[in-house]
């Protein structure tokens, strides 16, 4: 393991996966969400935090709760295939939880890839589906190269624009190497995901790096509160001079593969983030590719490529060269050693309100339990 994160007991707590899962299921049961759908949601939220993608883990639980409780998202039902042709399929997500739609689509893509070598499935009428990596991970577990994309609510200022009209539109590609190693790219088309700024603000940050966000008029800002208070994100690369137009192009590419291709809402027409006055109608795209259709020895060659890259001489001996997926592996190793998921205390105390609102017990931490108990008492 080349990268290993360390636990800071003065700032962090450890919560078992079982506790987190139980809390998620308890919340979803209170709003009459289908039990099997709730299980799928719990799977992806727990995995997101386990991998260190806190912006899309349990921090997002209240969004799913509000969507179903308000009726903006359906708590029960089944996605339907609208059209199929060879390796492709078009799916109606029936306005269900995004993970339910995404799992259905990627399983279908893998099935088609086994028959045709590739499976390409797009979905309309879906909702926020968590980390894109979850779906590519499923394809990879079946020996496939997996890709996943989704459009999102407009939160991005395209290059030269003073108006938000694009989503952060994430991209993922996961490919299996040997002995459990892999290439695992899971990224927003923006410099950072919106949730990363939320996490930074919750942790008390008063400054964010250049290229992350902009104020309500599209002018770059370093204040996370300004971004979260009506501002927005910058495309990958930030300003035009530093390549932001490339990020704008990636955002638009994902929109074409998702919203445009799926016949769902797209661009500035998608509902605003965390509003429930209308259906989200997100478009999503899932791809599975069987590498055995091409040159033999894919996994071995990929492993050589990964190892060659990691073995490059670093600029700083304390910071080795990484490949996509290494930071997540380091985070998971830390969680495994501690037998639970590590959270900053500031990241989870806000969930006390959700627990109180739904009248369910707050999950218990394995360490610093008194911190959460005190927060609960104060509310």
């Amino acid at each position: 393991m080349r990268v290993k994160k360390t636990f800071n007991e003065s700032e962090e707590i450890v919560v078992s996966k079982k506790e987190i899962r139980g809390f998620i299921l308890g919340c979803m049961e209170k709003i009459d969400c289908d039990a099997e759908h709730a299980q799928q949601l719990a799977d992806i939220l727990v995995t997101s935090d386990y991998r260190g993608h806190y912006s899309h883990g349990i921090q997002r639980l209240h969004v799913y709760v509000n969507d179903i409780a308000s009726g903006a998202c359906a708590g029960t039902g089944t996605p339907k295939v609208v059209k199929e042709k060879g390796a492709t399929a078009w799916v109606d997500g029936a306005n269900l939880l995004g993970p339910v739609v995404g799992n259905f689509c990627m399983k279908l893509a893998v099935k088609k890839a086994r028959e045709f070598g590739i499976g390409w499935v797009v979905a309309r009428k879906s909702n926020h589906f968590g980390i894109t990596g979850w779906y590519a991970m499923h394809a990879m577990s079946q020996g496939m190269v997996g890709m996943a994309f989704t459009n999102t609510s407009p939160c991005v200022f395209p290059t030269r624009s003073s108006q938000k009209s694009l989503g952060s539109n994430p991209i993922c590609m996961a490919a299996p190497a040997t002995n459990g190693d892999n290439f695992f790219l899971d990224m927003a088309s923006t410099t950072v995901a919106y949730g990363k700024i939320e996490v930074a603000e919750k942790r008390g940050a008063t400054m964010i790096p250049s290229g992350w966000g902009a104020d309500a008029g599209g002018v770059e800002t370093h204040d996370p509160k300004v971004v979260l208070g009506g501002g927005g994100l910058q495309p990958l690369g930030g300003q035009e001079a530093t390549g932001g137009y490339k990020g704008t192009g990636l955002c638009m590419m994902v929109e074409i593969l998702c919203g445009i291709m799926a016949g769902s809402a797209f661009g500035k027409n998608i509902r605003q983030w965390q509003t429930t006055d209308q259906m989200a109608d997100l478009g999503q795209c899932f791809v599975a590719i069987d590498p055995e259709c091409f040159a033999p020895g894919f996994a071995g060659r990929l492993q050589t490529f990964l190892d060659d890259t990691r073995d490059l001489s670093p600029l700083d001996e304390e910071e080795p060269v990484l490949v996509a997926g290494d930071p997540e592996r380091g985070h998971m190793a830390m969680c495994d050693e501690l037998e639970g998921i590590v959270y900053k205390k500031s990241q989870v105390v806000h969930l006390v309100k959700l627990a109180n609102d739904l009248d369910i017990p707050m999950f218990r931490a394995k360490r610093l339990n008194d911190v959460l108990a005190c927060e609960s008492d104060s509310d």
Side-chain angles (χ1 to χ4, degrees), residues 131-151:
I131 53 171
T132 51
W134 173 257
Y135 309 100
M137 191 187 311
H138 172 72
M140 189 171 63
S141 73
Q142 304 300 307
M144 307 282 183
V145 174
M147 294 189 289
F149 314 85
T150 182
N151 62 10

Side-chain angles (χ1 to χ4, degrees), residues 41-52:
L41 176 64
D43 286 343
I44 193 169
L45 296 187
V46 171
T47 298
S48 180
D49 287 343
Y50 175 55
R51 294 181 65 82

Side-chain angles (χ1 to χ4, degrees), residues 23 27 61-62 65 350-359:
F23 182 74
C27 288
L61 178 58
H62 71 283
V65 169
H350 76 283
L351 293 169
V352 174
K353 182 179 185 304
L354 181 61
N356 290 341
D357 288 346
L358 296 175
D359 192 26

Side-chain angles (χ1 to χ4, degrees), residues 71-137:
C73 173
T76 184
T78 305
K80 299 290 192 299
V81 175
V82 180
K83 183 189 297 184
E84 280 186 280
K85 183 178 181 180
T88 67
W90 179 33
V91 170
D92 187 319
N95 195 32
L96 296 166
L97 285 170
V100 175
V101 180
N103 287 339
F104 178 92
C105 290
M106 185 51 91
K107 288 177 182 176
L108 179 57
V110 167
K111 179 181 177 182
K112 287 182 173 293
R114 287 200 182 102
E115 181 178 358
F116 299 103
I118 186 171
W120 190 294
V121 180
V122 296
R124 68 181 182 189
K125 295 184 181 177
S126 188
N127 286 280
H128 192 281
F129 74 177
I131 53 171
T132 51
W134 173 257
Y135 309 100
M137 191 187 311

